[in-house]
Amino acid sequence: MALKFCANLSFMFTESGSLLERYNLARLAGFQGVESAFPKGFSIEDLLTAKQSLTQVLINIRTEFGVAALHGDSKGPDFRETFRSDLETTVEYAKALNCRKIHIMAGKVSEPTEDNHEAYVENLKYAVKILEKENIVGLIEPINRYAVPGYYLNSYEK
């Protein structure tokens, strides 16, 4: 069985400060697929030009580290609306890039509560309906507490 690898443009080819140039560096290194954090500051047209023959395997949801497990209160922002807006924008980019996987990031929480769990489950259920309709796979990934302190989904048990 042949193994397939894709270049994570958020972590590889960092000698270039430009995400758009990293697509070309990945191509020159022999990669056929790439993944990345959400490409903030770049239009869909910019990305299509940069990616050319590469396959965009995965893209992270728009807000860095996500907001899926965050909840609002009467004093703070309504993260449910932020999540839905982030998902909508990310789906738009994914469809244009012919990308079939979106990493739904949970977000950073200083002291997790049951409200965070409820918000996370509610947002994932909402995302499932949208992603199924668009034929896009939603992925979740635990990130350990050392790599990203405070990340809500920080264990396989959770």
Side-chain angles (χ1 to χ4, degrees):
M1 168 166 83
L3 297 176
K4 294 182 181 181
F5 294 94
C6 69
N8 186 324
L9 300 181
S10 299
F11 298 106
M12 296 179 71
F13 309 109
T14 56
E15 62 273 17
S16 171
S18 168
L19 174 66
L20 300 180
E21 188 176 307
R22 290 178 191 183
Y23 279 95
N24 188 47
L25 293 173
R27 187 176 14 271
L28 291 173
F31 287 96
Q32 295 177 352
V34 296
E35 67 175 275
S36 68
F38 187 84
K40 289 182 182 167
F42 296 104
S43 70
I44 290 171
E45 293 75 22
D46 291 338
L47 296 167
L48 287 171
T49 299
K51 104 174 182 69
Q52 295 177 20
S53 62
L54 292 171
T55 299
Q56 184 82 36
V57 175
L58 177 139
I59 188 172
N60 288 0
I61 199 158
R62 182 173 63 180
T63 301
E64 184 178 24
F65 299 119
V67 296
L70 279 58
H71 64 90
D73 58 28
S74 59
K75 297 175 241 167
D78 183 355
F79 287 107
R80 179 177 41 224
E81 289 306 314
T82 303
F83 175 78
R84 290 177 179 190
S85 174
D86 286 351
L87 181 64
E88 181 181 313
T89 300
T90 307
V91 165
E92 178 186 348
Y93 272 69
K95 286 171 53 177
L97 295 169
N98 199 27
C99 176
R100 294 287 157 228
K101 294 179 181 148
I102 293 175
H103 180 190
I104 301 172
M105 300 191 77
K108 293 171 78 172
V109 178
S110 57
E111 295 182 32
T113 66
E114 184 61 29
D115 289 338
N116 296 114
H117 177 74
E118 289 173 10
Y120 191 53
V121 170
E122 177 184 333
N123 284 326
L124 289 176
K125 285 180 179 180
Y126 176 84
V128 164
K129 293 174 190 172
I130 304 298
L131 297 175
E132 181 178 41
K133 182 178 137 201
E134 299 295 347
N135 194 29
I136 296 173
V137 175
L139 302 170
I140 59 173
E141 172 188 14
I143 301 175
N144 72 67
R145 61 189 168 113
Y146 304 105
V148 181
Y151 191 70
Y152 178 74
L153 187 60
N154 59 13
S155 69
Y156 287 103
E157 292 78 22
K158 194 177 274 184

